[in-house]
């Protein structure tokens, strides 16, 4: 039996994104629709057997720290092992690294099953992102020793950016990296430094799931005067393993000076350890003294550039996590609405109290809430897979096509992270609403989905950070080339949709919305004052995201009608219903958001502190 998620993925991958066509490229020549389906089948099975039954277990049996090690329930160990054994950690990597050379879009689709089944059982995407960053910026030996052992499942990876006093303001980090001895430049694993500092909110920062943990740590190398360089230019990136290793990737038996100070106990994602790590405090002196040993990745002072490779992957992954939690809640509330008897329909004479109760789904307002969830979550899934398809195009396409894919991905990344984090969380709220009083009890899973999803608005950069990136950098960089490319790409969808009578009104509506965003962008920057332009960056991003999602739905609707004009297949009728909902109920909302952007409204920015 095909599940709703599998049916949706099949449509998005094959009918809409034409993923099968990628097998015509040299990198993916060994693949076919059959191999793609086999990967999806395997991941769907592992998610069903090893993840879904334990989603509540990992929520209630939180990680514990006994002072020496982190204790996790057995199901977490079993799920992680099954995932590693599947080869998915290195699914998109070269054969030479033990990978499958899968297209990233297929890897992303396959991973969605795990996120839907239990988002917090594992943080495997961090390991993959960590290894990918080392592949791009590390030396050949760093790639062989660290990245390869993350892809094969022996080791796990983290990203250590934030600090207690700095939060998201990375220019204010205070972790120091000082040369480790006169021969520090000669270490075969990379220039060797001693790190001292504290890192906060580090997901999977300590556990016993793997024999080693590879921390990627941002730190500053002091200048000749011994002081840290202010700002982001002084930030470098270091590989700092929990256990030291030799050039063959074997553990040396030396514990690095990285200590778990404590666990953060979170609203959601409770199955994943979230940690405060102390680097170099001397709890585990190594090689004669305190200071965590770390190996420089890339060039000094270019740490943020190196880490952003991982952060952009992580942002798209968080968008997918938010999307799948939204979909999990949608599926749960849809099932509940189809089976729960409650209330009676209103007829011409009012309600007939003697008539039998009807199912929830027979009420118009329940259908409204279900359609809202469907349009937000399936639309967000489309956006995330579209971005994954751009990754493949950027890596394996040719010439200008590949360059355009990379630029378009730059513009869409803030949306891919933040739009699902906001709107799929709202979908979880509606899933609770449909369950009524049962929704906020632990008898049903929807309250956990909401708690898990609430974290994604903060994970990998808050809305404000993403919005400032979008309006302050992405739409104005290269003279606005990215925004212009997006407009041309959306314009192509509008052009073909105009030729379909059922879609022509939506094409016109999207065309106007696109123009409204362009006008608001110009108006926001009319004075050239960043403070004025960015004061309403979040409303700008909300409107921008709604336009992007409307584009996704219009393009999907075109694909639906091209194959099933009569909508004889129920799933296609559902997709068209979701498209109509988005254009009728959602896209009109951008007017209020863009008005404050156009006017550079100072209501928020100008209010004096004591007035609050």
């Amino acid at each position: 039996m095909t599940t709703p998620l599998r049916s949706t993925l099949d449509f998005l991958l094959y009918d809409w994104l034409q993923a099968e066509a990628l097998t015509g490229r040299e990198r993916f020549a060994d693949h076919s629709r059959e191999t793609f389906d086999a990967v999806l089948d395997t991941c769907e099975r592992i998610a069903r057997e090893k993840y879904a039954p334990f989603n509540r277990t990992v929520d209630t049996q939180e990680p514990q720290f006994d002072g020496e090690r982190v204790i996790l329930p057995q199901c977490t160990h079993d799920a992680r092992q099954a995932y590693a054994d599947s080869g998915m950690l290195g699914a998109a990597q070269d054969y030479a690294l033990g990978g499958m050379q899968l297209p990233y879009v297929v890897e992303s689709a396959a991973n969605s099953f795990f996120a839907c089944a239990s988002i917090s059982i594992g943080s495997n995407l961090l390991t993959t992102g960590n290894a990918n960053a080392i592949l791009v910026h590390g030396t050949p030996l760093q790639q062989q020793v660290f990245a390869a052992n993350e892809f094969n499942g022996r080791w796990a990876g983290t990203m250590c950016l934030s600090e207690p006093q700095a939060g998201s303001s990375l220019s204010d980090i205070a972790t120091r990296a000082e040369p480790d001895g006169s021969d520090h430049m000669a270490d075969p694993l990379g220039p060797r430094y001693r790190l001292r500092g504290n890192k906060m909110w580090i997901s999977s920062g300590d556990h016993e799931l793997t024999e080693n943990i590879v921390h990627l740590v941002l730190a500053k190398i002091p200048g000749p005067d011994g002081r840290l360089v202010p700002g982001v230019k002084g930030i470098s990136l270091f590989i700092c393993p929990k256990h030291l290793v030799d050039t063959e990737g074997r553990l040396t038996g030396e514990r690095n000076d990285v200590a778990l100070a404590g666990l953060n106990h979170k609203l959601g994602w409770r199955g994943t350890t979230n940690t405060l790590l102390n680097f170099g405090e001397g709890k585990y002196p190594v090689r004669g003294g305190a200071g965590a040993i770390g190996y420089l990745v890339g060039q000094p002072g270019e740490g943020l550039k190196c880490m952003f490779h991982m952060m952009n992957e992580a942002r798209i992954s968080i968008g997918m996590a938010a999307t799948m939690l939204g979909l999990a809640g949608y599926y749960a509330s849809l099932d509940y609405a189809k089976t729960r008897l409650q209330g009676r329909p209103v007829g011409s004479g009012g309600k007939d109290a003697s008539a039998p109760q009807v199912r929830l789904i027979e009420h118009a307002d329940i259908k409204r809430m279900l359609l809202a969830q469907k349009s937000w979550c399936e639309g967000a899934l489309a956006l995330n897979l579209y971005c994954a398809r751009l990754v493949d195009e950027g890596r394996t396409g040719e010439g200008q096509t590949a360059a355009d894919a990379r630029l378009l991905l730059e513009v869409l990344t803030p949306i891919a992270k933040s739009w699902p984090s906001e709107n799929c969380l709202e979908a979880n709220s509606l899933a609770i609403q449909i369950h009524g009083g049962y929704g906020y009890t632990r008898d049903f899973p929807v309250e956990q989905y909401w708690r898990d999803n609430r974290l994604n608005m903060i994970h990998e950069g808050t809305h404000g950070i993403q919005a400032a990136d979008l309006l302050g950098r992405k739409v104005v960089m290269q003279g606005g080339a990215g925004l212009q490319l997006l407009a041309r790409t959306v314009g192509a969808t509008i052009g073909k949709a105009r030729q379909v009578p059922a879609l022509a009104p939506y094409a016109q509506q999207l065309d106007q919305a696109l123009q409204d965003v362009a006008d608001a962008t110009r108006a926001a920057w009319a004075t050239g004052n960043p403070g004025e332009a960015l004061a309403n960056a979040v409303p700008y991003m909300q409107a921008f995201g709604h336009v992007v999602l409307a584009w996704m739905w219009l393009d999907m609707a075109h694909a639906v009608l091209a194959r099933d004009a009569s909508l004889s297949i129920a799933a296609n009728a559902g997709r068209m219903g979701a498209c109509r909902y988005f254009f009728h109920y959602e896209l009109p909302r951008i007017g209020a958001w863009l008005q404050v952007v156009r006017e550079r409204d100072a209501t928020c920015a100008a209010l004096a502190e004591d007035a609050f």
Side-chain angles (χ1 to χ4, degrees), residues 514-553:
L514 188 64
Q515 185 59 52
D516 290 345
V517 166
D519 291 344
T521 307
R522 284 190 291 270
W525 284 105
T527 64
N529 183 331
E532 292 183 4
L534 299 179
N536 293 291
V538 167
Y540 176 84
M541 185 173 68
Q542 289 171 312
F544 196 109
H546 264 54
V547 171
V548 168
L549 266 289
W551 164 40
M552 294 289 107
W553 274 116

Side-chain angles (χ1 to χ4, degrees), residues 354-483:
S354 65
Q357 288 188 313
V358 297
R359 295 171 304 143
L360 280 175
I361 199 168
E362 295 179 55
H363 297 289
D365 194 53
I366 298 294
K367 288 185 176 182
R368 175 190 65 82
M369 290 188 280
L370 288 170
L371 257 180
Q373 292 180 73
K374 183 179 179 68
S375 74
W376 296 335
C377 300
E378 290 185 7
L381 179 57
L383 171 61
N384 278 282
L385 291 180
Y386 182 86
C387 287
R389 183 69 173 77
L390 289 177
V391 171
D392 288 321
E393 199 60 50
R395 290 174 179 170
T396 65
E398 296 181 355
Q400 192 60 46
T401 302
D404 284 350
R406 291 190 291 269
L407 179 58
L408 195 55
L409 184 62
E410 282 283 317
V411 175
L412 291 177
T413 294
I415 302 301
K417 187 274 172 185
S418 280
W419 198 93
S421 300
E422 180 173 17
N423 293 280
C424 295
L425 176 69
E426 183 59 26
N428 287 132
S429 182
L430 292 183
I432 292 173
Q433 192 73 12
I434 288 171
H435 280 73
Y438 286 115
Y440 47 73
T441 72
R442 294 198 175 186
D443 298 328
F444 291 86
V446 287
E447 61 84 28
Q448 183 185 340
Y449 294 143
W450 187 93
R451 286 188 290 104
D452 284 341
N453 216 351
R454 185 58 185 81
L455 276 63
N456 290 318
M457 295 176 79
I458 296 172
H459 278 154
E460 308 308 333
T462 63
H463 280 351
I465 289 170
Q466 305 298 331
D469 181 43
L470 178 67
L471 181 54
R473 194 164 73 90
K474 297 297 178 61
V475 300
V476 295
M477 66 184 187
Q478 300 177 31
L483 186 57

